[in-house]
Amino acid sequence: MKKTVHSIIMLTALVLSVIHFTTIKASASDSVQNATPIDLNKEYLFSGSQEDNFYKITVPQNGRLQIKISNETDYYREFSLINSKGVKLFTGSTDYSEYADGYASHTIGVTPGVYYINVYNDEPDSVSYKLGAYFTPSENWEKEPDNDEKKGATAIPVNTSFNGAVDSYEDSDFYTFTTTNDGVVNIKLSNNSGIPLEYELFNDKGVSLQETWTDYSDYATGYSNVTQGLPKGKYYIQIVNDDDAYNNKNNHVYSFRIDFNANNFWEKESNDTAQEATNLELDQYYQGVTPNEYDEDFYTFNLSKGTTIQLNALNLKEDYTRYTIIDSHGNEKAYLETNSGAYANGYKTSRLYLPAGSYFLNMHSYDSDNHLNLVYKFAIKTVSPSVKSSDVKITNNKGKSDKVYVKNLLKNDIIKIYSSKSKLLASKKSEGSSTTAYIKQLGKSAGSVYVTLTRDGRLESSKVKVNYKAEKK
Ligand SMILES: [Ca+2]
Ligand SMILES: [Ca+2]
Ligand SMILES: [Ca+2]
Ligand SMILES: [Ca+2]
């Protein structure tokens, strides 16, 4: 009876081993040269091991590689991945506590080639362990270890999700992407509770444009998001682990994507000095972002003749923003500070006349934490020229409509006439160089109205006061 039970146990163990494991003696694997070849995507059971054990795998293409090794109470093991050039890509370690269970694992993005797994046993000839190397082909993974440096950055397409992993305390992952138009990028990086990742965006000259950290609070989920306006070109992203408490079990897998939209009406970083200013078209709204308290955004615009302009700056609840208009000699011509707080909405405006010349607009947010990644919006609108009071002739008729004649106009100019109480009395589109508007009754006695001009889709001009005489008796 006892023998039968024993046989059943042996048989069961044999069946299990056929299903789950391939048992290989580890005696020949004490050096890289004699490494024991193992197949990908299979679990092996190794026993009778010495201090250092080497296994050889062949990765057929780009993708994600995961090394798994069983945890055993009281038996500490380290496992490393080494490439064919002898570069150690990571070192992981098993759980040997009294609660040890399951597997220690490490995931990494790799390129095709031969790799070696080194398993180090703290106690040689200890109990057997299970080991497997699992590979999934993918073109959307980091390429270690070349990506540790900018020159080996993993090239990534925009508008595609990508993955990488933190492989060590010092791991640095560089990616590069190229935009073929000026535009705006939105970068999404996965959050993970307890794992702070630092991300930094550089241009091709190595200038740091933006830096951010993912949310690693207890409740962190989803993605951290940053936006940046960029001229077309080649860019780099560096992702590093920012975890002081990193140990070789913190192999965090992250995902991110860079969404790009062509757009001519965004700031083009780097624009921190007047020399790097982003060119502005008048009468167009622009957006920009203030990733940190040091960011200065310069824009420039040109006036071919003296023009009244109006700065329209969006009020933001989060924080106020400060705009300064400076002439080419460095003289401050205008300063505007937007509203902020719960009731902030709409645009704050400032109107001024500027002689012909080139100008700079500087945007700077207030030095508080609120401005981080604040997206602001503004336009420099041109204002239609005012009519001259001498070009307006008012006839105050008795018994029929009163006439307002305006000359020195262009076709499609819009003339508006307001009462002294700002009530619109008449609006007329000019069909030539002059026009006449009719008003039913201005009044029996003398008075005045206000006349504006709106030309070419620009803002309505300032009001010009024009007097009229009393009706004839
Ligand atoms: Ca790396
Ligand atoms: Ca990495
Ligand atoms: Ca900016
Ligand atoms: Ca800037």
Side-chain angles (χ1 to χ4, degrees):
M1 182 65 193
K2 221 175 179 182
K3 201 178 175 188
T4 313
V5 170
H6 189 69
S7 301
I8 289 168
I9 291 170
M10 285 296 285
L11 186 65
T12 308
L14 185 66
V15 167
L16 280 174
S17 74
V18 167
I19 292 170
H20 295 287
F21 320 122
T22 308
T23 309
I24 292 175
K25 280 190 179 161
S27 57
S29 65
D30 58 348
S31 70
V32 166
Q33 289 74 28
N34 299 324
T36 305
I38 61 171
D39 290 338
L40 296 171
N41 306 320
K42 266 187 200 163
E43 185 170 82
Y44 290 81
L45 178 66
F46 291 107
S47 58
S49 54
Q50 52 254 318
E51 204 166 54
D52 269 310
N53 303 273
F54 291 90
Y55 305 94
K56 180 180 172 179
I57 55 173
T58 303
V59 170
Q61 60 196 96
N62 293 326
R64 167 192 192 269
L65 180 66
Q66 183 186 30
I67 307 299
K68 283 172 75 175
I69 182 166
S70 55
N71 293 317
E72 316 285 349
T73 298
D74 294 337
Y75 293 99
Y76 176 74
R77 294 191 176 99
E78 285 182 357
F79 60 109
S80 311
L81 186 71
I82 301 159
N83 69 12
S84 58
K85 291 174 187 157
V87 177
K88 192 179 276 188
L89 278 68
F90 66 79
T91 298
S93 57
T94 61
D95 179 9
Y96 61 105
S97 71
E98 60 177 308
Y99 305 108
D101 190 20
Y103 296 82
S105 83
H106 195 109
T107 298
I108 188 170
V110 291
T111 51
V114 168
Y115 293 84
Y116 301 93
I117 301 164
N118 173 213
V119 175
Y120 167 79
N121 280 305
D122 212 18
E123 298 196 34
D125 299 317
S126 57
V127 297
S128 58
Y129 55 88
K130 296 172 208 164
L131 177 70
Y134 300 88
F135 179 73
T136 309
S138 172
E139 289 304 321
N140 297 338
W141 262 81
E142 63 171 356
K143 295 187 174 75
E144 291 284 1
D146 291 355
N147 72 358
D148 287 357
E149 289 178 51
K150 187 180 157 192
K151 66 175 192 286
T154 305
I156 58 171
V158 294
N159 306 327
T160 305
S161 284
F162 230 82
N163 298 284
V166 175
D167 299 313
S168 74
Y169 184 73
E170 291 178 318
D171 188 23
S172 150
D173 297 342
F174 276 96
Y175 300 89
T176 180
F177 66 96
T178 302
T179 56
T180 50
N181 288 97
D182 295 349
V184 57
V185 293
N186 187 264
I187 301 165
K188 283 170 75 181
L189 192 63
S190 59
N191 294 320
N192 201 284
S193 172
I195 314 278
L197 287 184
E198 183 188 353
Y199 129 90
E200 198 164 3
L201 174 68
F202 298 90
N203 67 16
D204 206 14
K205 292 173 190 145
V207 176
S208 170
L209 301 175
Q210 198 161 16
E211 205 179 356
T212 199
W213 287 263
T214 57
D215 180 7
Y216 62 99
S217 65
D218 288 351
Y219 306 103
T221 57
Y223 290 82
S224 290
N225 250 299
V226 288
T227 300
Q228 188 60 264
L230 300 170
K232 68 178 175 187
K234 189 173 188 185
Y235 295 90
Y236 293 87
I237 283 180
Q238 185 184 19
I239 296 172
V240 297
N241 162 54
D242 196 32
D243 182 7
D244 288 341
Y246 184 90
N247 64 51
N248 56 13
K249 293 185 185 73
N250 298 6
N251 166 231
H252 170 58
V253 171
Y254 59 83
S255 72
F256 70 104
R257 62 180 287 142
I258 299 165
D259 288 308
F260 172 74
N261 284 297
N263 187 326
N264 289 324
F265 304 110
W266 259 81
E267 66 165 328
K268 302 186 202 323
E269 288 279 5
S270 158
N271 56 4
D272 291 4
T273 64
Q275 289 72 32
E276 303 168 292
T278 302
N279 280 315
L280 284 185
E281 269 179 52
L282 299 169
D283 299 312
Q284 292 287 354
Y285 277 96
Y286 281 79
Q287 285 178 287
V289 65
T290 57
N292 59 53
E293 71 219 69
Y294 311 109
D295 188 32
E296 299 267 0
D297 294 340
F298 278 90
Y299 300 85
T300 184
F301 62 97
N302 210 58
L303 297 175
S304 56
K305 57 180 189 236
T307 308
T308 301
I309 59 145
Q310 180 174 305
L311 172 61
N312 284 11
L314 187 65
N315 293 312
L316 298 169
K317 288 181 173 55
E318 297 89 336
D319 204 349
Y320 62 87
T321 46
R322 303 185 294 191
Y323 295 83
T324 313
I325 295 174
I326 306 147
D327 70 15
S328 55
H329 305 291
N331 299 309
E332 185 177 313
K333 307 302 280 185
Y335 174 76
L336 183 151
E337 199 171 276
T338 59
N339 299 332
S340 62
Y343 300 103
N345 67 57
Y347 289 87
K348 194 159 182 181
T349 64
S350 170
R351 195 176 270 213
L352 71 154
Y353 175 82
L354 292 174
S358 53
Y359 294 88
F360 296 100
L361 179 139
N362 172 256
M363 209 308 296
H364 189 63
S365 65
Y366 183 61
D367 293 336
S368 75
D369 285 338
N370 299 336
H371 56 245
L372 291 175
N373 296 316
L374 197 63
V375 174
Y376 62 89
K377 189 174 180 181
F378 72 96
I380 294 195
K381 296 266 192 180
T382 51
V383 181
S384 305
S386 302
V387 295
K388 285 197 185 102
S389 59
S390 57
D391 285 342
V392 183
K393 191 181 166 207
I394 303 175
T395 315
N396 192 358
N397 290 317
K398 186 177 181 179
K400 57 176 180 175
S401 292
D402 303 323
K403 275 166 72 176
V404 180
Y405 170 80
V406 187
K407 63 178 182 182
N408 281 327
L409 296 177
L410 298 177
K411 195 182 173 193
N412 295 327
D413 279 358
I414 296 163
I415 290 296
K416 286 181 180 165
I417 299 147
Y418 297 89
S419 72
S420 54
K421 287 174 181 161
S422 290
K423 186 186 170 212
L424 181 65
L425 301 173
S427 175
K428 186 79 193 282
K429 188 189 255 188
S430 168
E431 293 184 354
S433 63
S434 68
T435 195
T436 303
Y438 293 90
I439 296 163
K440 208 166 183 187
Q441 172 59 305
L442 284 169
K444 284 185 160 72
S445 48
S448 54
V449 292
Y450 292 85
V451 181
T452 68
L453 172 65
T454 305
R455 176 174 288 170
D456 246 1
R458 298 193 221 167
L459 295 178
E460 187 178 3
S461 76
S462 310
K463 288 172 173 172
V464 168
K465 188 178 179 182
V466 183
N467 296 322
Y468 58 87
K469 291 177 181 156
E471 288 179 359
K472 282 191 176 122
K473 297 239 163 95

